[in-house]
Amino acid sequence: MLRLAGARLLDDRDYPAVRAALAADPVGSCMVSARVEAAGLDPWRLGGELWAADSRPVRAGRLQGLCFSGPNLIPLRGNAPALRSFADRALRRQRTCSSLVGPAEQVLGLWDELEDEWGPAREVRGDQPLMALDAMPLVAADPLVRAVRPDELERYLPAAVAMFIEEVGVDPRSGDGGASYRARVTELIGAGRAFARFEHGEVVFKAEIGAMSATVGQIQGVWVHPDRRGDGLGTAGTAAVVHRLVRGLGRTASLYVNAFNTPALAAYRKIGFKQVGQYATVLF
């Protein structure tokens, strides 16, 4: 079977075409847009590579495929031949990404190309509604949810670890003793993008603004203490983070959630989120 030569590494000549591609779907591309806006296309500053299926720089017009390769592999657009070219390039090296994530059609299509070499996956989450809200929440925001202060790291970190284990299924402290995860949480707190409600010194609700582009902020890590679930803390707390994004930061609030998580879906819809796309995640 004839295979494509592989995807092309993008460089500064491709920046206008990349920005146009990302702007065409600002919610779906938020994770990549945030990196490109901050770092450009240089792989060292970007923390990964951007690939295209086109054989040469696109002076004008539309990129036929676009994929970010870094801590996660994020295919944003591309037909079957484009996804095959991304797979060809990915398979030239040892896998280092922890997941494939992004628009479901591209993620699942790329996984079809990679599974024989990279499988089996630890889990495939093929139906994750991508949701957005660009107006104020429809429910009252919890006034006790606030940005976490740097001196509260030690109180916040156990809740962040508990959320990660519950959501992803692995302990983020494994491997390096939690140093890299701690550094990431510290970074989010320092940027004012980690939020919590504390009761008697303990976190009972938490959420973060993970990726944030010029127009969109992606909410992640929503968690309620097991003893307080069913009290409405998740809905009111998430509404507080939406309020911060929309009113305070002038961004559209976005998030994605597993379709089987019906309580979370109901809460987000109550807040006012609407589905704007479908994501999928392949976890390793």
Side-chain angles (χ1 to χ4, degrees):
M1 175 178 167
L2 179 64
R3 304 287 287 181
L4 298 184
R8 177 175 62 87
L9 177 64
L10 297 176
D11 59 35
D12 289 340
R13 295 172 296 174
D14 302 288
Y15 189 81
V18 170
R19 293 295 299 131
L22 297 175
D25 183 12
V27 175
S29 67
C30 177
M31 288 185 284
V32 177
S33 292
R35 287 177 173 268
V36 170
E37 289 168 6
L41 302 187
D42 177 76
W44 187 85
R45 296 194 306 270
L46 189 62
E49 298 178 346
L50 267 178
W51 304 338
D54 310 85
S55 60
R56 56 186 179 274
V58 179
R59 300 297 182 184
R62 174 188 173 97
L63 286 170
Q64 296 305 306
L66 185 63
C67 182
F68 172 76
S69 174
N72 304 298
L73 190 60
I74 309 175
L76 289 176
R77 61 165 58 186
N79 56 18
L83 296 176
R84 192 172 304 124
S85 75
F86 297 151
D88 285 342
R89 188 174 184 103
L91 291 171
R92 294 176 191 172
R93 64 190 78 177
Q94 185 176 4
R95 178 185 66 78
T96 58
C97 62
S98 61
S99 71
L100 272 67
V101 61
E105 182 178 0
Q106 278 69 45
V107 166
L108 298 177
L110 182 55
W111 181 235
D112 282 344
E113 298 289 338
L114 294 171
E115 185 174 9
D116 286 347
E117 296 291 332
W118 282 9
R122 184 164 55 83
E123 186 177 355
V124 177
R125 300 176 177 179
D127 185 4
Q128 297 178 306
L130 177 66
M131 311 183 83
L133 175 58
D134 61 2
M136 295 300 289
L138 301 179
V139 301
D142 185 344
L144 298 181
V145 170
R146 58 171 176 78
V148 180
R149 300 189 306 266
D151 66 324
E152 295 173 316
L153 171 64
E154 298 303 333
R155 287 194 285 163
Y156 182 80
L157 193 59
V161 169
M163 175 282 303
F164 195 97
I165 293 172
E166 189 172 326
E167 173 63 24
V168 182
V170 297
D171 191 327
R173 297 166 298 185
S174 61
D176 63 357
S180 58
Y181 186 68
R182 182 188 182 91
R184 174 58 176 159
V185 173
T186 300
E187 178 186 7
L188 288 170
I189 292 175
R193 286 159 50 185
F195 300 85
R197 172 173 171 153
F198 291 89
E199 292 182 357
H200 308 294
E202 184 177 27
V203 174
V204 295
F205 166 84
K206 67 162 290 291
E208 297 144 4
I209 301 170
M212 189 163 69
S213 71
T215 58
V216 179
Q218 189 176 86
I219 298 172
Q220 66 179 31
V222 178
W223 180 86
V224 176
H225 192 286
D227 294 343
R228 298 298 307 277
R229 292 175 186 176
D231 294 347
L233 290 180
T235 301
T238 304
V241 182
V242 171
H243 188 285
R244 174 62 178 154
L245 269 169
V246 174
R247 177 66 64 84
L249 298 173
R251 263 77 165 182
T252 294
S254 76
L255 52 81
Y256 61 99
V257 58
N258 295 312
F260 57 76
N261 191 345
T262 51
L265 275 171
Y268 298 146
R269 288 170 178 148
K270 185 176 181 180
I271 292 167
F273 280 96
K274 303 293 185 184
Q275 184 171 352
V276 296
Q278 183 183 5
Y279 258 31
T281 302
V282 179
L283 295 169
F284 299 116

